[in-house]
PDB file of all heavy atoms in Angstrom:
ATOM      1  N   MET J1430     -34.133  -2.569  21.557  1.00 40.00           N
ATOM      2  CA  MET J1430     -33.149  -2.427  20.488  1.00 40.00           C
ATOM      3  C   MET J1430     -32.661  -0.982  20.371  1.00 40.00           C
ATOM      4  O   MET J1430     -33.431  -0.045  20.485  1.00 40.00           O
ATOM      5  CB  MET J1430     -33.786  -2.858  19.169  1.00 40.00           C
ATOM      6  CG  MET J1430     -33.057  -4.025  18.553  1.00 40.00           C
ATOM      7  SD  MET J1430     -33.982  -4.663  17.189  1.00 40.00           S
ATOM      8  CE  MET J1430     -34.786  -6.037  17.969  1.00 40.00           C
ATOM      9  N   THR J1433     -29.321   3.511  16.033  1.00 42.00           N
ATOM     10  CA  THR J1433     -27.938   3.919  15.777  1.00 42.00           C
ATOM     11  C   THR J1433     -27.720   5.404  16.070  1.00 42.00           C
ATOM     12  O   THR J1433     -26.627   5.800  16.434  1.00 42.00           O
ATOM     13  CB  THR J1433     -27.558   3.670  14.309  1.00 42.00           C
ATOM     14  OG1 THR J1433     -28.611   4.109  13.507  1.00 42.00           O
ATOM     15  CG2 THR J1433     -27.253   2.218  14.091  1.00 42.00           C
ATOM     16  N   ARG J1447     -22.471  11.518   8.001  1.00 71.00           N
ATOM     17  CA  ARG J1447     -21.495  10.495   8.301  1.00 71.00           C
ATOM     18  C   ARG J1447     -21.283   9.676   7.040  1.00 71.00           C
ATOM     19  O   ARG J1447     -20.213   9.179   6.769  1.00 71.00           O
ATOM     20  CB  ARG J1447     -22.008   9.588   9.415  1.00 71.00           C
ATOM     21  CG  ARG J1447     -21.799  10.140  10.805  1.00 71.00           C
ATOM     22  CD  ARG J1447     -22.257   9.117  11.815  1.00 71.00           C
ATOM     23  NE  ARG J1447     -23.621   8.708  11.519  1.00 71.00           N
ATOM     24  CZ  ARG J1447     -24.032   7.453  11.555  1.00 71.00           C
ATOM     25  NH1 ARG J1447     -23.175   6.497  11.827  1.00 71.00           N
ATOM     26  NH2 ARG J1447     -25.285   7.146  11.295  1.00 71.00           N
ATOM     27  N   ALA J1449     -21.820   9.421   2.773  1.00 68.00           N
ATOM     28  CA  ALA J1449     -21.676  10.340   1.637  1.00 68.00           C
ATOM     29  C   ALA J1449     -20.644  11.414   1.924  1.00 68.00           C
ATOM     30  O   ALA J1449     -20.928  12.597   1.926  1.00 68.00           O
ATOM     31  CB  ALA J1449     -23.019  10.969   1.262  1.00 68.00           C
ATOM     32  N   ASP J1470     -10.466   4.511 -16.698  1.00 75.00           N
ATOM     33  CA  ASP J1470     -11.098   3.342 -17.294  1.00 75.00           C
ATOM     34  C   ASP J1470     -10.174   2.633 -18.276  1.00 75.00           C
ATOM     35  O   ASP J1470     -10.251   1.436 -18.459  1.00 75.00           O
ATOM     36  CB  ASP J1470     -12.379   3.755 -18.041  1.00 75.00           C
ATOM     37  CG  ASP J1470     -13.591   3.431 -17.206  1.00 75.00           C
ATOM     38  OD1 ASP J1470     -13.413   2.835 -16.125  1.00 75.00           O
ATOM     39  OD2 ASP J1470     -14.701   3.778 -17.631  1.00 75.00           O
TER      40      ASP J1470
ATOM     41  N   LYS K 766     -18.440  -1.378 -13.107  1.00 85.00           N
ATOM     42  CA  LYS K 766     -19.549  -1.039 -14.011  1.00 85.00           C
ATOM     43  C   LYS K 766     -20.514  -2.201 -14.161  1.00 85.00           C
ATOM     44  O   LYS K 766     -21.331  -2.205 -15.074  1.00 85.00           O
ATOM     45  CB  LYS K 766     -18.977  -0.662 -15.384  1.00 85.00           C
ATOM     46  CG  LYS K 766     -17.988   0.487 -15.313  1.00 85.00           C
ATOM     47  CD  LYS K 766     -18.434   1.675 -16.100  1.00 85.00           C
ATOM     48  CE  LYS K 766     -17.679   2.926 -15.695  1.00 85.00           C
ATOM     49  NZ  LYS K 766     -16.938   3.514 -16.796  1.00 85.00           N
ATOM     50  N   GLU K 793     -22.602   5.165  -1.428  1.00 85.00           N
ATOM     51  CA  GLU K 793     -21.995   6.489  -1.591  1.00 85.00           C
ATOM     52  C   GLU K 793     -21.523   6.673  -3.027  1.00 85.00           C
ATOM     53  O   GLU K 793     -21.687   7.739  -3.611  1.00 85.00           O
ATOM     54  CB  GLU K 793     -20.812   6.646  -0.634  1.00 85.00           C
ATOM     55  CG  GLU K 793     -21.233   6.696   0.818  1.00 85.00           C
ATOM     56  CD  GLU K 793     -20.057   6.861   1.771  1.00 85.00           C
ATOM     57  OE1 GLU K 793     -18.910   6.917   1.283  1.00 85.00           O
ATOM     58  OE2 GLU K 793     -20.300   6.934   2.980  1.00 85.00           O
ATOM     59  N   GLN K 816     -28.404  -4.068  14.033  1.00 83.00           N
ATOM     60  CA  GLN K 816     -28.657  -2.627  13.922  1.00 83.00           C
ATOM     61  C   GLN K 816     -27.901  -1.792  14.940  1.00 83.00           C
ATOM     62  O   GLN K 816     -27.588  -0.645  14.694  1.00 83.00           O
ATOM     63  CB  GLN K 816     -30.154  -2.306  13.972  1.00 83.00           C
ATOM     64  CG  GLN K 816     -30.912  -2.887  15.140  1.00 83.00           C
ATOM     65  CD  GLN K 816     -31.358  -4.308  14.851  1.00 83.00           C
ATOM     66  OE1 GLN K 816     -30.557  -5.185  14.607  1.00 83.00           O
ATOM     67  NE2 GLN K 816     -32.650  -4.541  14.853  1.00 83.00           N
ATOM     68  N   GLU K 820     -21.743   1.395  14.380  1.00 86.00           N
ATOM     69  CA  GLU K 820     -20.565   2.218  14.697  1.00 86.00           C
ATOM     70  C   GLU K 820     -19.348   1.392  15.080  1.00 86.00           C
ATOM     71  O   GLU K 820     -18.303   1.926  15.393  1.00 86.00           O
ATOM     72  CB  GLU K 820     -20.887   3.191  15.841  1.00 86.00           C
ATOM     73  CG  GLU K 820     -21.964   4.215  15.494  1.00 86.00           C
ATOM     74  CD  GLU K 820     -21.502   5.170  14.410  1.00 86.00           C
ATOM     75  OE1 GLU K 820     -20.367   5.657  14.504  1.00 86.00           O
ATOM     76  OE2 GLU K 820     -22.274   5.408  13.460  1.00 86.00           O
TER      77      GLU K 820
END
Side-chain angles (χ1 to χ4, degrees):
Chain J
M1430 241 170 261
T1433 44
R1447 278 184 307 137
D1470 258 356
Chain K
K766 303 241 163 120
E793 292 180 359
Q816 52 275 60
E820 296 294 315

